[in-house]
Amino acid sequence: MSNKPIFVTRASLAPLEEYTEILKGVWERGILTHNGPLVQQLEADICAELNLSHFVAVSNGTIALQMAIKALELQGEIITTPFTWIATVSAIKWEGCTPVFCDIDPETLNIDPAKIEALITDKTVAIMPVHVFGVPCDVDAIQAIADKHGLKVIYDAAHAIGSTYQGKSILEFGDISATSLHATKLLNTAEGGGCITKNKGLFHKLQRIRFFGHSDDKTDIVEDGFNGKLTEVHAALGLANLKYHKQVAEDRKRKYNLYLELLQNNPELTFQKSKTGECNYSYFPVIFESEEKLLKTENKLKETQIYPRRYFYPSVNTYTKVVPYQPCPISEDISKRILCLPLYWELKEEDVQQIIQIINS
Ligand code: T4K
């Protein structure tokens, strides 16, 4: 029998004994935080697993975005996508910058590179695209625009651990990528995140920013820093979960492909497309013909205790209590018609079949 209710996701957790085994060392050492040995090990192991240059583990994905803006010393307008979680925009605002919304490609659901240049002004300092649901952005087109106009690129890679472009982790692109290790992500530390950069100087600067701006010998404050540290207890969970990361990703890919195979002939549905690179299959979004049809389906699913999520609804440019409205018709339209279906390790194939059956009927 299926375990009901079924939510959009469920945290992937290593066996408890494996986590507690790692925790024993924390108890022995008494070191709970301040870039302890487990945080350092997690950073090294994530770099090895994903073939990354440098990874700075931090307390959540929103702080990772803020730290990226801070490290690049940005002040001005940052062009970003309206089809995202509010954190992308709150990070820009908390760092004293102004979000400028660029509409999305209706197929990839990522920022549309063809629409970026028209938004560049003499105040623009950076582009902050999101690899939405792990689908890689058109990183070449975005970098070409950034190079032409002397702009920085920060990728919001909250969803993108495991996504690749030309065989490389998508986290290696841009000046800095910021990812999330939140409970709902493919790899989690309960709360957590990370900044990824190829630039050694930026890597060390991010480490200092994370730790109040201390100099390496702690005799001085050399950066405008804050507290972005990940704890040893969270790092221990990350290390335990990292062992299962590939298995978890493969399992999601199997279930993703099952959804796609059995829903793609439904003429009323469309699906997100990856045009450049491979996504990590961490979400399964479905785009309905109309909001009315989405709501009808959502209600049917809820009747059987299945709770998909309307990521991302509404389009962030319409949150007028925090940003002035800037029209983005494609994002506003798709936001109303998109639903993310349940996708996680413990989800049974029979549950996927049931969800498909309800949607197709
Ligand atoms: N940029 C983007 C593009 C993002 O999507 C996000 C976060 C960020 C930046 C910022 O990263 P963080 O600062 O969060 O690291 C979730 C997450 O809180 C958030 O991390 C995520 N994106 C966003 C898309 O979704 P909710 O509102 O869906 O959480 P909730 O509590 O409704 O959880 C959904 C389902 O997940 C639950 O029904 C059951 C399961 N779950 C949840 C929690 C909290 C678990 O199994 N275990 C748990 O501990 O926000």
Side-chain angles (χ1 to χ4, degrees), residues 7-11 60-62 65 84-85 87-88 130 156 158-159 180 182-185 191-192 283 309 311-312:
F7 296 106
V8 64
T9 194
R10 189 176 157 83
N60 62 64
T62 311
L65 286 167
T84 186
W85 190 246
T88 315
V130 178
D156 180 335
H159 304 175
S180 169
H182 182 261
T184 54
K185 301 299 187 290
E191 288 279 358
Y283 293 81
R309 274 295 287 270
Y311 297 135
F312 298 112

